[in-house]
Amino acid sequence: MDENGVVDQELFPKELTDQKLVDMLSYMLFTRALDAKMLSLQRQGRAATYAPSIGEEATQIGSALAMNQGDLFVPNFRQHGVYLARGMPLDVLFLYWKGYEEGGAIPKEVGGFPYIVPVASQLPHGAGIALAQKYLKTGKAVVAYVGDGGTSEGNFYETMNFAGVMAIPLVIIIENNQWAISVPRSSQSAAQTLAQKGIAAGIKVLQVDGNDVIAVYKAVHEAINDAVNNVPSVLECVTYRMSMHTTADDPTKYRDPAEVEIWKKRDPIDRLRKLLVAKGVWDDKKEADAAEEFKKRIDDGVEKAEKFVPNPESMFTNVYSYMPQVLQEELDEAKASGFYMKQEGEG
Amino acid sequence: MMTNMVGALNSALDIILNENKNAVVFGEDVGKDGGVFRVTDGLQAKYSSERVFDTPLAESVILGASIGMAMSGMFPIPEIQFAGFMYMGFDQLINHAARYRSRSRGRFTVPMIVRTPVSGGVRTLEHHSDSPEVYYSHVGGLVVVEPSNPYDAKGLMIRASHMQDPVIFLEPTKLYRLFKQEVPEESYEVEIGKANVVKEGQKLSIITYGTMVPVVKEVVEKKAIDAEIIDLRTINPLDEETILNSVKKTGRAMIVHEAQLSFGAGAEIAARIAEKAIFELDAPVMRVASDSLPYPFPGYENFYIPNAIKVSKAIDKMMSQ
Ligand SMILES: Cc1ncc(C[n+]2csc(CCOP(=O)(O)OP(=O)(O)O)c2C)c(N)n1
Ligand SMILES: [Mg+2]
């Protein structure tokens, strides 16, 4: 699909019904609405530092919807759209970004693992999860995400190499958004593409337009089919970080705004919208109704998350499978002192 | 000049780059961006991208390459964006930076300064708030420094640049911009390996460092207690002499740090006091630290980091003994 939403019919995956395309657009819009809400909550001090996914929705939604029921995913810190498309309860997601470990208690049916912050360190877990699927004969694939910057880490190379040797059902998706905080893709690697890093590991490689949700869907769908036949792969999705790295970042310090303008014209949402409008299955009314519904779901999630009362005792009771006596003593002391919080009436 | 710790460190790096033509500053986002905390702001513009540069996102090679540069006549000053990401290069520090001198009987040395922000209290995501000083202290061979104010930060860094050792330079995030202080424009050194007696006192010795220094100062002031406050500044090797002299004088010792209680620096200090000054104590040694569990998510951190109330209660308990 090109920037005007015109599709190459020969390449178009036949299983993509109009309804499935509408789902894709809906989840992409939902993800963008979530980002907008998170940025506003963060500004109001109601959320911790947040990494928006604006501009990267096609990579996230295309890949999430290509997964089969029961497939597993391993994100870094930016795949909010993947969580949404896999049915993550919004209040749980908000709890993470409000700064509570309870946000990591992801319901099993989502099939996702918690957000991981140390760049690329989640990839070896993906390899292990994939090895377990093979060993336990579940028939499921594992999709693990990493950024362009993350492909410089040893963990990235080690995981690809391991996957190749072990022939495990793993798909690594490089969400190449062109920037690693202030470092552009060109300064991250002298390799012509990031996908080609997988060639030396003997796994399948592919580079796709990460702003074309149909292309991403198709590539991931095929990669998953290969994966369950024990052919791992790495897939580079070329997309763009349209916003800041995180709410703690100021891109005007290092990035030419003209570059952002160019990528705005390639907005993944606009593209799919054009196609669906041309097909006659999407219009302003449908978009307004969808926006209304997302707003309601997001607001409900925020409301529920904001009712959450943190229980500091949970810090102590979730460290080991049993309560060691020395930790119990620390807990007792903390509790006896009200966790050293200021009491009413104290100065 | 009146400056905060960020300004003081920036000034120290400026002086080092100017003085030592083989010194280089590098890491993730240290160039144009000036570092995520702006400690290296303006240095690339001033010294060129040959001497102040961004690296690929890969801590193991940042630290391993630093070791190679250090052994080859350069003076590397790598920045690791947060202490929680230094573990990616832990192997290089523990297996190599700490050992080249001894494995070659001094033929190869690793003069460098590894800078990284540490500790919490500023509501950041997971892994941005660790206090890892004992990991690096335990191996032996790494000098571990942690300033608690702008003046010490600049002086310690310049001192480190004149040494022949790998120095792990821990910068408390919370103190980066917490307060300003008068700091000389020019070059000066603060001794490494020497603790600072911040306040003299007769009744109790409080040994602390990093983020806990301002907390302890505040409590001692508020309670108007005759306590001696010792800011370690160098965690490894420990300035045992200053600690023991103080404890022998006051008869009471309390250690306060933000890192976890179990197996922390407090344990090492308490053991040394027990070995060498136990008969001069009027009360058991006390430790005030974070609970013995990994640093929590930001929503819980205020229940975790030792605060003024916790320190104050500990002092009450100690003085009643
Ligand atoms: C091991 C490690 N080093 C440094 C950081 C700090 N950091 C967080 S995100 C980031 C850039 C990541 O870039 P990329 O992999 O392209 O992912 P993106 O943020 O663009 O999605 C850096 C340096 C980190 N989280 N983990
Ligand atoms: Mg990136």
Side-chain angles (χ1 to χ4, degrees):
Chain A
M1 177 173 56
D2 68 13
E3 285 165 33
N4 299 313
V6 178
V7 167
D8 183 332
Q9 289 302 336
E10 241 171 73
L11 295 175
F12 187 82
K14 300 291 170 275
E15 72 272 20
L16 272 187
T17 58
D18 284 353
Q19 183 53 47
K20 199 130 192 198
L21 292 173
V22 167
D23 286 349
M24 281 179 168
L25 182 61
S26 299
Y27 276 119
M28 286 164 73
L29 289 165
F30 196 5
T31 307
R32 197 161 287 188
L34 174 78
D35 273 333
K37 183 69 181 188
M38 281 305 313
L39 291 176
S40 127
L41 289 175
Q42 202 281 337
R43 270 194 298 272
Q44 299 164 47
R46 289 155 72 193
T49 310
Y50 179 70
S53 57
I54 303 166
E56 303 170 37
E57 295 90 349
T59 295
Q60 298 190 2
I61 300 305
S63 58
L65 294 182
M67 291 179 212
N68 298 307
Q69 183 92 34
D71 285 345
L72 299 159
F73 69 96
V74 183
N76 62 21
F77 40 82
R78 207 182 289 283
Q79 281 73 36
H80 324 303
V82 178
Y83 279 120
L84 284 188
R86 293 297 304 267
M88 175 83 154
L90 279 159
D91 56 310
V92 178
L93 188 139
F94 283 127
L95 282 179
Y96 178 88
W97 294 106
K98 289 180 78 67
Y100 301 116
E101 281 85 344
E102 283 74 7
I106 302 161
K108 194 157 186 233
E109 56 281 9
V110 174
F113 287 81
Y115 285 111
I116 293 293
V117 173
V119 165
S121 64
Q122 70 281 8
L123 297 179
H125 315 161
I129 296 162
L131 193 144
Q133 304 314 305
K134 183 178 173 182
Y135 184 88
L136 299 171
K137 301 191 172 60
T138 65
K140 300 302 175 202
V142 178
V143 179
Y145 293 83
V146 66
D148 44 303
T151 68
S152 297
E153 289 279 7
N155 274 323
F156 172 74
Y157 293 96
E158 292 182 30
T159 300
M160 288 194 304
N161 188 61
F162 182 96
V165 171
M166 298 294 170
I168 48 177
L170 179 68
V171 178
I172 298 172
I173 294 186
I174 303 169
E175 188 166 319
N176 173 6
N177 62 7
Q178 310 302 330
W179 291 89
I181 310 187
S182 74
V183 178
R185 160 64 186 83
S186 56
S187 305
Q188 198 61 245
S189 175
Q192 206 177 353
T193 70
L194 298 176
Q196 78 194 51
K197 293 186 177 194
I199 295 172
I203 63 177
K204 278 189 68 171
V205 308
L206 192 67
Q207 187 189 50
V208 292
D209 179 348
N211 277 13
D212 175 352
V213 66
I214 297 170
V216 173
Y217 172 89
K218 182 174 165 161
V220 176
H221 192 70
E222 286 171 9
I224 285 177
N225 283 342
D226 287 337
V228 293
N229 290 309
N230 297 320
V231 178
S233 61
V234 61
L235 227 142
E236 177 186 1
C237 298
V238 180
T239 178
Y240 193 74
R241 194 193 83 205
M242 298 216 307
S243 177
M244 69 277 267
H245 167 68
T246 67
T247 46
D249 173 50
D250 173 15
T252 60
K253 196 132 197 257
Y254 54 80
R255 184 162 85 170
D256 183 356
E259 184 187 285
V260 185
E261 287 310 311
I262 295 170
W263 280 89
K264 267 191 188 152
K265 297 198 186 84
R266 303 175 187 155
D267 188 313
I269 293 184
D270 289 348
R271 244 194 241 199
L272 184 61
R273 190 193 283 114
K274 280 179 193 159
L275 171 70
L276 296 189
V277 169
K279 271 177 168 279
V281 295
W282 195 256
D283 54 31
D284 289 350
K285 164 89 174 64
K286 287 207 164 102
E287 179 128 356
D289 290 349
E292 187 73 20
E293 194 209 317
F294 301 148
K295 185 177 174 325
K296 193 184 165 321
R297 285 171 67 180
I298 288 170
D299 288 347
D300 287 352
V302 172
E303 201 186 309
K304 203 165 160 200
E306 292 199 330
K307 286 205 183 107
F308 171 77
V309 181
N311 170 16
E313 195 168 338
S314 69
M315 289 194 297
F316 294 80
T317 52
N318 288 286
V319 187
Y320 301 103
S321 67
Y322 66 101
M323 183 50 108
Q325 179 251 327
V326 284
L327 191 57
Q328 182 68 49
E329 261 178 41
E330 289 181 34
L331 171 58
D332 291 344
E333 206 183 307
K335 268 166 79 175
S337 306
F339 289 91
Y340 308 100
M341 290 298 109
K342 233 182 224 154
Q343 304 301 316
E344 298 266 341
E346 261 182 70
Chain B
M1 57 184 181
M2 279 300 281
T3 186
N4 58 26
M5 196 185 282
V6 169
L9 289 166
N10 185 273
S11 163
L13 291 170
D14 190 0
I15 287 169
I16 296 165
L17 283 165
N18 191 46
E19 177 184 284
N20 182 348
K21 297 296 170 235
N22 293 327
V24 285
V25 167
F26 54 95
E28 295 157 12
D29 307 287
V30 301
K32 221 175 190 179
D33 202 32
V36 294
F37 289 104
R38 304 289 179 253
V39 172
T40 57
D41 215 13
L43 295 177
Q44 185 176 68
K46 186 163 177 189
Y47 293 98
S48 88
S49 54
E50 201 188 345
R51 298 193 61 201
V52 180
F53 53 93
D54 289 336
T55 63
L57 206 176
E59 292 76 11
S60 186
V61 73
I62 291 173
L63 294 169
S66 296
I67 293 170
M69 291 182 227
M71 294 194 298
S72 309
M74 290 177 71
F75 189 81
I77 311 178
E79 172 179 303
I80 297 296
Q81 203 161 82
F82 287 92
F85 309 132
M86 201 138 106
Y87 308 132
M88 260 74 179
F90 198 63
D91 162 57
Q92 291 296 341
L93 295 174
I94 302 299
N95 284 335
H96 302 303
R99 287 170 151 100
Y100 257 112
R101 178 186 288 272
S102 62
R103 78 157 56 110
S104 67
R105 288 294 175 264
R107 163 69 181 82
F108 296 97
T109 58
V110 186
M112 66 176 181
I113 303 173
V114 179
R115 299 182 36 247
T116 196
V118 296
S119 300
V122 290
R123 284 190 61 77
T124 50
L125 296 177
E126 207 184 0
H127 311 287
H128 291 71
S129 303
D130 278 18
S131 296
E133 60 274 12
V134 290
Y135 305 149
Y136 304 106
S137 299
H138 190 62
V139 60
L142 299 175
V143 174
V144 181
V145 168
E146 183 169 344
S148 70
N149 60 64
Y151 180 89
D152 285 353
K154 179 170 175 178
L156 288 166
M157 177 149 300
I158 292 173
R159 175 68 202 133
S161 77
H162 295 148
M163 289 169 63
Q164 290 301 310
D165 302 271
V167 176
I168 310 296
F169 203 96
L170 307 175
E171 304 169 359
T173 313
K174 175 138 199 204
L175 307 185
Y176 267 149
R177 296 172 193 279
L178 192 66
F179 58 94
K180 288 187 177 179
Q181 202 180 26
E182 186 56 38
V183 170
E185 297 263 2
E186 64 276 16
S187 183
Y188 63 92
E189 293 190 353
V190 168
E191 197 178 341
I192 285 182
K194 186 95 194 97
N196 182 26
V197 180
V198 177
K199 176 190 167 295
E200 293 198 7
Q202 303 298 328
K203 295 239 161 75
L204 160 69
S205 303
I206 306 181
I207 301 125
T208 186
Y209 56 90
T211 52
M212 288 297 115
V213 174
V215 176
V216 167
K217 274 164 77 174
E218 177 202 320
V219 174
V220 166
E221 234 162 77
K222 222 174 180 175
K223 293 179 100 72
I225 179 171
D226 190 13
E228 184 143 304
I229 304 174
I230 298 175
D231 177 355
L232 286 181
R233 296 195 297 208
T234 302
I235 292 149
N236 185 64
L238 202 59
D239 179 5
E240 189 190 78
E241 192 186 353
T242 300
I243 297 169
L244 292 182
N245 285 345
S246 174
V247 172
K248 285 177 185 170
K249 177 177 72 175
T250 63
R252 286 186 160 86
M254 174 180 295
I255 304 123
V256 183
H257 56 62
E258 184 176 321
Q260 293 90 324
L261 180 78
S262 297
F263 303 92
E268 174 66 26
I269 295 164
R272 286 174 188 270
I273 294 169
E275 284 167 353
K276 298 188 180 169
I278 198 161
F279 298 116
E280 272 137 304
L281 292 182
D282 298 328
V285 177
M286 270 182 83
R287 290 178 294 159
V288 179
S290 290
D291 299 304
S292 302
L293 44 101
Y295 197 96
F297 282 16
Y300 285 102
E301 71 181 356
N302 288 340
F303 299 117
Y304 175 80
I305 308 172
N307 60 12
I309 296 173
K310 189 168 181 177
V311 173
S312 174
K313 281 193 184 204
I315 292 177
D316 291 344
K317 188 171 166 196
M318 172 143 250
M319 297 317 290
S320 71
Q321 283 172 332

